[in-house]
Amino acid sequence: MEIDVRHIAKLAKLQIPEDKMAQFERELSDIVGMVEKLPALTGDGALLDETNTMQLREDVVKPSFPREEMLKNAPQSAAGCFVVPKTVE
């Protein structure tokens, strides 16, 4: 199986040195090979634990702080929301 490490690195915005490309290709091929060897799940309830039914709680509306009260301590707000520094390019 041919894995395009350059394409994956570009999608993940990673900078991989040229001398490490072959190593990453081998490692990714090993990982894909290991996943391909995993047995297939069979049966309808293969992912469910019948002894743990995980009962969900009911949604209950509870009073909360008024928006104005929360925003009065914020260093900066706009349109009723907190303004925070940009973290993603």
Side-chain angles (χ1 to χ4, degrees):
M1 169 182 289
E2 182 70 27
I3 296 179
D4 189 355
V5 176
R6 285 179 186 80
H7 181 67
I8 294 170
K10 181 181 175 186
L11 292 174
K13 295 188 177 186
L14 298 174
Q15 294 179 352
I16 301 175
E18 195 61 41
D19 60 331
K20 299 282 185 178
M21 285 292 179
Q23 175 188 350
F24 276 94
E25 189 172 328
R26 280 192 307 277
E27 289 175 0
L28 284 173
S29 293
D30 290 345
I31 292 169
V32 170
M34 179 188 67
V35 171
E36 287 176 343
K37 290 180 185 176
L38 292 174
L41 294 174
T42 57
D44 293 335
L47 297 177
L48 300 176
D49 180 4
E50 294 173 9
T51 61
N52 182 8
T53 57
M54 298 190 311
Q55 295 295 321
L56 300 177
R57 63 173 170 76
E58 226 177 280
D59 287 336
V60 179
V61 177
K62 296 191 254 181
S64 62
F65 287 104
R67 182 178 293 207
E68 296 76 27
E69 183 75 21
M70 295 295 282
L71 291 174
K72 77 178 186 182
N73 292 323
Q76 190 177 1
S77 64
C81 300
F82 292 102
V83 176
V84 296
K86 182 178 175 181
T87 58
V88 179
E89 293 180 21

